[in-house]
Amino acid sequence: MTNTAGSPVKTVTVLGTGVLGSQIAYATAYAGFDVTAYDIDDAALEAAKSRFEGLVRTYEAEVEGAAGGKAAEGLERISYSSDLAQAVADADLVIEAVPESLEIKRETWQKVGAAAPERTIFATNSSTLLPSDFKDATGRPDRFLALHFANRVWVQNTAEVMGTADTDPSVYATVVQFARDIHMVPIEVKKEQPGYVLNSLLVPFLNAGAALWVNGVADVETIDKTWRIATGAPMGPFQIYDVIGMVTPYNIAKASDDPVQQKFAEILKRDFIDQGKLGVASGEGFYSYQG
Ligand SMILES: NC(=O)c1ccc[n+]([C@@H]2O[C@H](COP(=O)([O-])OP(=O)(O)OC[C@H]3O[C@@H](n4cnc5c(N)ncnc54)[C@H](O)[C@@H]3O)[C@@H](O)[C@H]2O)c1
């Protein structure tokens, strides 16, 4: 268990218990912190409980030292609430992972800002919005920053820490240490950057792979093989698409005004999403994962 004695962060509230919120809440509890998981209603909290139980099994199978009771103990440090003001009333740190909508984020932070104690530090896990886009809604921009996790936090354990010009450097340092305390590798992003470090690298790379394929330059296997052999990387772009799943890349490609991306969106919808081929999670995507 993490020794958190020197840290001002002891109690953590996670807002939103979907794909990422559940992983963040569980990773935090697993590391020894008391966690309150907030979601909008009892049905969402029930769904959260099964996500957490799934995470216990995943940790037991994939995280060294988690089997034999440690993973299940993490679950006992999580409490549940669908009352936002009550959920943040004793939080040292609030991490927000509600849907990626400016309106929902603003509304959520206004309520949290009004209800949380003065000492509370606020962090958003937003992927595409900048913390500056809604820092004013928090009512305390000096105690607010982005703490951005990657999906499958127990193995893909980067935590990008990105403040705004208003973020107090001591708040930033506390969050960097917190990231370490929950077994993440903190990535210190020195200025606001859409896509942080990871997606600033990954998105153009994936787009380039898609364009080579859509334009008929090379097939999927050849593109992936080239990248793997020539760079030593374990996966090419289409293997990564399969891990991400098709829906997010489809939404991004569809929103682009680049005709190549539009064509890619069309193919993803017709030949993959509509056929139930969602990537690794469904057993088939660009590659087959049956058995
Ligand atoms: N999925 C990813 O791979 C990933 C990776 C990094 C960051 N993120 C970011 O994390 C955030 C959440 O993404 P997700 O994929 O976990 O989404 P999700 O849809 O799986 O989960 C969202 C959760 O928020 C809850 N919710 C809905 N409306 C709400 C409201 N008004 N107030 C509070 N909670 C509400 C939902 O019940 C759900 O449990 C987004 O900002 C996203 O950009 C996602």
Side-chain angles (χ1 to χ4, degrees), residues 2 24 27-28 31 33 147 149 177-184:
T2 301
I24 298 165
T28 304
F33 291 85
L147 176 61
F149 295 81
Q177 184 55 45
F178 168 75
R180 270 192 208 105
D181 288 342
I182 61 166
H183 314 310
M184 299 295 125

Side-chain angles (χ1 to χ4, degrees), residues 15-24 38-41 43-45 47-48 51 84 96-101 103-105 107-108 111 124-129 134 147-153 160 196 198-199 244 248:
L15 309 177
T17 56
V19 175
L20 252 282
S22 60
Q23 294 181 23
I24 298 165
Y38 163 82
D39 216 305
I40 43 173
D41 55 27
L45 290 176
R51 282 207 172 90
L84 187 54
E96 167 269 305
V98 304
E100 190 75 348
S101 139
E103 205 188 325
I104 296 177
K105 302 246 188 227
E107 201 190 306
T108 303
K111 290 184 188 155
T124 178
N125 182 47
S126 177
S127 293
T128 59
L129 301 164
F134 48 104
L147 176 61
H148 181 245
F149 295 81
N151 196 9
R152 294 170 49 81
V153 299
E160 296 181 279
Y196 304 81
L198 173 62
N199 284 336
I244 297 171
T248 303

Side-chain angles (χ1 to χ4, degrees), residues 21-289:
S22 60
Q23 294 181 23
I24 298 165
Y26 182 74
T28 304
Y30 180 78
F33 291 85
D34 289 327
V35 174
T36 301
Y38 163 82
D39 216 305
I40 43 173
D41 55 27
D42 289 345
L45 290 176
E46 279 308 312
K49 284 177 192 163
S50 24
R51 282 207 172 90
F52 291 135
E53 278 155 18
L55 285 166
V56 169
R57 289 191 292 275
T58 304
Y59 271 58
E60 284 172 346
E62 296 184 23
V63 176
E64 210 185 314
K70 188 167 181 226
E73 262 171 42
L75 212 52
E76 287 163 23
R77 284 188 281 273
I78 303 178
S79 55
Y80 301 85
S81 175
S82 58
D83 177 333
L84 187 54
Q86 186 233 318
V88 302
D90 187 35
D92 297 321
L93 171 65
V94 173
I95 304 173
E96 167 269 305
V98 304
E100 190 75 348
S101 139
L102 186 55
E103 205 188 325
I104 296 177
K105 302 246 188 227
R106 277 192 163 283
E107 201 190 306
T108 303
W109 280 115
Q110 268 160 8
K111 290 184 188 155
V112 175
E118 264 178 41
R119 68 173 194 279
T120 310
I121 292 173
F122 293 167
T124 178
N125 182 47
S126 177
S127 293
T128 59
L129 301 164
L130 291 173
S132 285
D133 295 341
F134 48 104
K135 65 181 178 188
D136 55 323
T138 67
R140 58 183 89 167
D142 58 321
R143 301 189 73 70
F144 173 64
L145 43 54
L147 176 61
H148 181 245
F149 295 81
N151 196 9
R152 294 170 49 81
V153 299
W154 59 97
V155 277
Q156 259 83 273
N157 63 335
T158 52
E160 296 181 279
V161 188
M162 186 171 85
T164 73
D166 291 327
T167 308
D168 181 332
S170 73
V171 166
Y172 188 94
T174 297
V175 173
V176 168
Q177 184 55 45
F178 168 75
R180 270 192 208 105
D181 288 342
I182 61 166
H183 314 310
M184 299 295 125
V185 177
I187 307 295
E188 298 191 33
V189 184
K190 293 183 191 302
K191 60 199 276 198
E192 276 195 287
Q193 162 71 27
Y196 304 81
V197 173
L198 173 62
N199 284 336
S200 297
L201 293 166
L202 184 61
V203 174
F205 169 72
L206 293 177
N207 286 347
L212 287 170
W213 181 53
V214 168
N215 288 331
V217 177
D219 60 34
V220 161
E221 289 80 4
T222 303
I223 295 166
D224 281 353
K225 187 171 64 182
T226 308
W227 187 253
R228 287 196 310 268
I229 296 174
T231 68
M235 291 194 280
F238 295 94
Q239 293 171 283
I240 297 176
Y241 277 123
D242 274 357
V243 171
I244 297 171
M246 301 301 161
V247 176
T248 303
Y250 167 74
N251 286 331
I252 294 172
K254 191 159 180 283
S256 163
D257 45 21
D258 174 357
V260 176
Q261 284 292 310
Q262 282 291 331
K263 181 90 192 293
F264 184 52
E266 206 183 296
I267 300 170
L268 284 179
K269 172 99 174 59
R270 187 192 60 220
D271 297 346
F272 292 88
I273 296 172
D274 288 353
Q275 313 295 324
K277 296 181 185 172
L278 300 177
V280 175
S282 74
E284 193 168 353
F286 288 100
Y287 298 90
S288 174
Y289 302 89

